[in-house]
Amino acid sequence: MRISARSTLFRTAAALTAAAVGLTLSPASPVLASETEEASASTMRIATSGFIDSFNPFTSIYLTPTNALRYFYENLVQYSAEDGSPTEGLAESWETEEDGARWVYHIREGMQWSDGEPITSEDVKWTYDQMMNDEIMATANGSLVSNFESVEAPDDQTLVINLIEPQAPVPGVEIPVVPEHVWSQIDNPGEFANDSEVVGSGPFVLESYSPNEGFIMTANENFWRGKPGIDRLQYVYYTDADASIQALRAGDIDFISGLTPTQFNALEGQEGITTVSGEGRRYTSIALNPGQETRDGEAYGSGNPALHDVKVRQAIRQGIDAQALLDNVLDGQGVLATSFVPASYATWMLPEDDDAIMQFDPEAAAALLDEAGWTEGANGIREKDGETLSLTLQIDASDPTEQALAEYVKPWMADIGIDLQVESTDSDTVSANATAGNYDMYFSGWSLGPDPDYQLSINTCANLPTDTEGNGGTTQDGYCDEEFDALYDQQRVELDEDARVDLVHQMLAMNYTSSVQVALYYPNQLEAYRSDRFEGFTTMPTENGIIANQSGYWGFQSVTPVGEGGSSGASQTGLWIVIGGIVVVAVIVVIVVVSRRKKSADIE
């Protein structure tokens, strides 16, 4: 997920002492002071920079809360850590009837919510019914129930999903199931923040959330797979990636993800630290504004009309050398992209030799602009009808990767006659502008689950916003094509996998040709953790996979402390500093970091 940052800097009485050792202090808040004193071998501290709108599983589409929700709530069907294939969740088994139009699930007996109440099929039915009947409750995952005709709970251990048409993807994945006895008592569940004392069914549940500081998850003793090996996960906010690196080195945090290649290389081989380069499930792209519209066809946003022309968008694509970006900016830590389905899902990824693929070719790009009527002016910038071809690329000023990418893209655009103005701002602004359609270009990206159905669905016309503020939809890039929609409906019900793969590839090729985005690469996810304090991390997939940001809860669910009580000294959250006989606690700076909406975040 693309992260940026808005920071708040505070001073405490210990600031001068901390300055002597190069530390910047956060406010002496009771929450942070308490957590500093209680840091132990069974509390793993994780650096984060993700924005949290809420922890409401029905509405939140940001990466950080979405990933946290995977730990709070079990799905009816889970994705396996081994290869992402469907495996047991709340349901221990299931079968299909009526040629795949009726799915019958058998709920495991004896499961309990974290408050001790029994988990039954009624909880699943209530969750699905809300999404099927309330547009707001369908915000995050509504497309996953769009083929549901009805849901039945004939007894506590049986759930039946009746589909409108048979479908290939297993129903019940990716949907967090909530406790009916809690959520049915909430007056406006679509507006519920769900940010403290969460009642859940997953390995961890949310204990507390402090905006701009962090949140704490505690182990769920009632989790059906067994209580996790550590008691708490504490997420701490950082806006400065280098500060979080130093915190990992000092033992002030235990886990970090989203490293740049430079940061990753600097941590390799350091005592007490293990680095992981995993094949990620994300893609990075440049979103191009094709002209945003609501589902009713009402235009909104302030994007440059030049981008409404597919030839201009294709010219931008052919004017960008994605391989050079992968090599020079990512140090080769990734795979060149072909579409929005990453190489980690090789079956679904658009093949590199597909006829739709356009190679880096500035001359061909210039020819496309000629065809679109944009002729080269005296200063080399193209003109048409008295207007110059000038576009704005919005970037996160705090993101070094975006800054580096922009330094390459700007001169490449000049080479084909496009004046590209790079506008550095913060992630909040980029996110708000993307939602409102007020952009020409910005760096985007999503994380995908093992089945492409969800990501395909948010490229259909049905997922365009319902109003001119950009609300009510989860569109990926404002893409809408009736032929794509027809193929989507067809692939969803195609039970022959080879035939379905072919349909998906056709859809990806269509989206590629439209060039509403330029997919650049699939970055490896670079992570590091204090292996002198914790062990037992599970990657997904188990071979060459990732720890954080999985399509499941495996990464931290299996973690245990190293030895009894772990290490001490530098591993404490605060460093005890003695100067002139006075002892103070230096708490590393806690900074607000926000990330873009799921447009640049996660499906998940």
Side-chain angles (χ1 to χ4, degrees):
M1 179 177 203
R2 215 216 93 285
I3 46 184
S4 91
R6 175 182 67 182
S7 67
T8 55
L9 182 63
F10 302 95
R11 299 287 180 182
T12 69
L16 294 177
T17 304
V21 292
L23 289 178
T24 304
L25 298 188
S26 69
S29 75
V31 173
L32 291 179
S34 172
E35 295 314 311
T36 296
E37 295 166 5
E38 294 177 8
S40 70
S42 200
T43 295
M44 188 171 74
R45 297 150 303 171
I46 302 168
T48 185
S49 54
F51 174 67
I52 294 173
D53 51 346
S54 77
F55 289 100
N56 187 321
F58 296 100
T59 60
S60 181
I61 56 174
Y62 288 83
L63 181 64
T64 297
T66 299
N67 284 333
L69 288 165
R70 293 185 181 281
Y71 286 89
F72 303 169
Y73 300 110
E74 179 66 277
N75 300 332
L76 181 63
V77 176
Q78 187 61 251
Y79 286 130
S80 72
E82 288 73 22
D83 57 8
S85 58
T87 190
E88 55 184 337
L90 295 180
E92 57 184 353
S93 64
W94 56 91
E95 65 266 356
T96 60
E97 300 175 352
E98 299 178 11
D99 296 324
R102 179 180 172 90
W103 291 65
V104 181
Y105 299 85
H106 304 285
I107 309 299
R108 182 177 296 96
E109 292 189 33
M111 291 186 297
Q112 295 181 337
W113 294 100
S114 56
D115 65 356
E117 290 294 314
I119 299 174
T120 73
S121 59
E122 287 292 344
D123 295 301
V124 188
K125 173 177 166 54
W126 189 89
T127 298
Y128 292 175
D129 282 346
Q130 305 315 299
M131 298 168 62
M132 293 168 61
N133 299 311
D134 187 327
E135 191 172 81
I136 294 177
M137 300 288 273
T139 299
N141 297 303
S143 65
L144 297 176
V145 299
S146 61
N147 191 35
F148 287 19
E149 183 174 47
S150 63
V151 179
E152 306 169 20
D155 59 62
D156 285 352
Q157 264 60 60
T158 306
L159 183 90
V160 178
I161 298 177
N162 299 300
L163 301 176
I164 298 171
E165 296 180 282
Q167 69 177 50
V170 178
V173 296
E174 294 291 345
I175 301 174
V177 174
V178 303
E180 179 186 9
H181 70 279
V182 174
W183 283 77
S184 63
Q185 304 304 309
I186 301 169
D187 291 336
N188 295 299
E191 300 176 5
F192 182 48
N194 196 35
D195 58 5
S196 67
E197 300 181 353
V198 166
V199 174
S201 55
F204 292 90
V205 291
L206 184 66
E207 175 185 310
S208 62
Y209 166 55
S210 300
N212 308 335
E213 293 180 1
F215 59 96
I216 297 170
M217 296 158 57
T218 55
N220 177 13
E221 296 185 1
N222 293 334
F223 182 45
W224 71 270
R225 294 182 186 271
K227 180 184 176 182
I230 53 177
D231 294 333
R232 299 199 307 176
L233 300 176
Q234 178 184 356
Y235 286 74
V236 185
Y237 280 107
Y238 289 87
T239 185
D240 185 338
D242 290 332
S244 62
I245 300 300
Q246 293 306 316
L248 183 72
R249 285 191 174 115
D252 297 315
I253 59 170
D254 305 302
F255 183 91
I256 188 169
S257 188
L259 298 169
T260 66
T262 299
Q263 294 164 343
F264 181 82
N265 294 337
L267 288 172
E268 280 194 297
Q270 293 206 9
E271 185 177 357
I273 294 176
T274 293
T275 54
V276 178
S277 176
E279 190 175 69
R281 60 190 187 95
R282 288 188 61 74
Y283 70 87
T284 296
S285 70
I286 299 178
L288 309 178
N289 192 336
Q292 301 290 330
E293 292 185 349
T294 67
R295 292 178 205 175
D296 295 330
E298 187 175 0
Y300 69 96
S302 61
N304 192 318
L307 291 173
H308 296 184
D309 190 333
V310 66
K311 290 183 178 179
V312 174
R313 301 196 301 270
Q314 290 176 344
I316 292 173
R317 178 187 289 281
Q318 289 204 273
I320 294 174
D321 188 349
Q323 185 65 59
L325 297 178
L326 176 60
D327 293 340
N328 299 324
V329 178
L330 248 60
D331 195 25
Q333 289 273 19
V335 177
L336 195 66
T338 58
S339 70
F340 58 73
V341 174
S344 53
Y345 307 128
T347 299
W348 305 108
M349 172 190 173
L350 183 66
E352 296 175 358
D353 59 356
D354 192 276
D355 291 340
I357 301 297
M358 302 175 187
Q359 303 300 324
F360 170 59
D361 189 340
E363 290 185 3
L368 283 168
L369 292 174
D370 287 337
E371 293 175 20
W374 291 94
T375 58
E376 191 171 326
N379 61 354
I381 302 303
R382 293 177 177 270
E383 301 174 343
K384 181 180 180 180
D385 300 330
E387 299 288 336
T388 59
L389 188 49
S390 181
L391 303 173
T392 299
L393 171 64
Q394 298 180 40
I395 70 169
D396 177 1
S398 69
D399 189 323
T401 299
E402 290 197 6
Q403 294 173 23
L405 292 171
E407 289 177 2
Y408 283 92
V409 174
K410 181 178 174 67
W412 286 338
M413 292 299 96
D415 288 345
I416 63 174
I418 296 177
D419 171 44
L420 185 65
Q421 297 296 316
V422 178
E423 182 179 292
S424 295
T425 182
D426 59 84
S427 178
D428 270 345
T429 301
V430 174
S431 178
N433 288 342
T435 300
N438 296 327
Y439 69 94
D440 294 334
M441 303 165 61
Y442 74 94
F443 291 109
S444 182
W446 293 64
S447 295
L448 276 69
D451 191 289
D453 183 74
Y454 178 88
Q455 205 71 20
L456 295 171
S457 76
I458 61 174
N459 281 277
T460 62
C461 301
N463 274 271
L464 293 176
T466 55
D467 62 40
T468 55
E469 300 298 320
N471 300 313
T474 314
T475 181
Q476 179 175 292
D477 296 296
Y479 178 71
C480 174
D481 187 300
E482 292 183 358
E483 184 180 349
F484 183 97
D485 289 4
L487 287 173
Y488 172 75
D489 292 338
Q490 190 177 345
Q491 68 81 31
R492 195 175 205 185
V493 300
E494 179 55 69
L495 302 182
D496 180 274
E497 182 171 330
D498 290 340
R500 184 177 177 227
V501 168
D502 181 65
L503 290 168
V504 170
H505 287 170
Q506 290 181 51
M507 297 171 71
L508 295 177
M510 285 184 61
N511 182 271
Y512 182 102
T513 300
S514 75
S515 296
V516 293
Q517 63 164 345
V518 178
L520 302 173
Y521 47 69
Y522 309 125
N524 286 0
Q525 184 165 299
L526 306 180
E527 305 172 301
Y529 63 90
R530 295 294 313 199
S531 48
D532 57 352
R533 294 197 70 227
F534 295 99
E535 60 187 357
F537 294 88
T538 298
T539 59
M540 182 181 182
T542 50
E543 183 178 350
N544 195 35
I546 59 178
I547 297 173
N549 306 324
Q550 298 179 352
S551 294
Y553 45 55
W554 313 105
F556 302 139
Q557 182 257 339
S558 58
V559 173
T560 57
V562 172
E564 294 185 5
S567 47
S568 59
S571 66
Q572 297 302 306
T573 303
L575 295 178
W576 290 94
I577 306 167
V578 182
I579 294 182
I582 301 176
V583 180
V584 296
V585 179
V587 185
I588 199 159
V589 64
V590 176
I591 309 173
V592 183
V593 181
V594 295
S595 64
R596 204 173 291 164
R597 248 189 89 163
K598 207 162 180 183
K599 288 180 183 298
S600 57
D602 188 310
I603 118 171
E604 285 264 315

